[in-house]
Amino acid sequence: RLFGSATTWQVAMKKSIFDATVHTPLSYLPVGYLCSNAFSGKDVLGGLKKYCEPKEMLRVNATCAAIWLPTHYITFFICPPHLRVLWAASVSAMWLVLMSTFAYVHEDHSSLQADEVL
């Protein structure tokens, strides 16, 4: 309850900015990159190294902020409390598809056989 429970636009903005500038870049995304590599059988620290590359960090944090800043603003200012979890979970499902796409966008699939792709 760092910012209180008020539903004013100022509090909603503070919560959204905190998420985009502290929580997301320092905990959410690094853990996500670590787990992505761990679950796909790759070097776990390789995921963190990938996240720490300046271009990757900027790209993924900018994309994350573009999605989650307005989402959390809506969550904390407009959305009724009983619908907040449903709203955030719906956006999260779409976000996870986007993150999964980012995670494998630069991988080389040219060596796959046609029957492996299908």
Side-chain angles (χ1 to χ4, degrees):
R1 311 292 183 225
L2 184 63
F3 301 104
S5 60
T7 57
T8 64
W9 71 268
Q10 295 94 337
V11 171
M13 189 58 70
K14 286 178 187 177
K15 290 177 179 181
S16 300
I17 290 172
F18 178 83
D19 181 72
T21 60
V22 177
H23 169 252
T24 297
L26 300 179
S27 67
Y28 171 72
L29 289 172
V31 170
Y33 273 72
L34 285 168
C35 290
S36 177
N37 272 27
F39 295 145
S40 62
K42 298 179 183 175
D43 175 39
V44 176
L45 290 180
L48 190 57
K49 289 176 186 173
K50 180 179 178 182
Y51 174 69
C52 290
E53 293 172 3
K55 284 184 180 181
E56 181 75 8
M57 188 181 287
L58 180 62
R59 180 181 62 86
V60 75
N61 276 289
T63 304
C64 195
I67 291 177
W68 287 107
L69 270 171
T71 297
H72 285 315
Y73 184 77
I74 291 168
T75 300
F76 297 119
F77 184 58
I78 297 171
C79 199
H82 68 281
L83 295 177
R84 287 179 181 173
V85 172
L86 177 63
W87 162 249
S90 299
V91 175
S92 179
M94 292 182 281
W95 170 244
L96 289 174
V97 169
L98 187 60
M99 286 296 292
S100 296
T101 303
F102 278 162
Y104 299 101
V105 74
H106 297 296
E107 289 198 5
D108 181 21
H109 299 290
S110 61
S111 65
L112 292 176
Q113 301 293 330
D115 59 338
E116 292 176 359
V117 175
L118 301 174

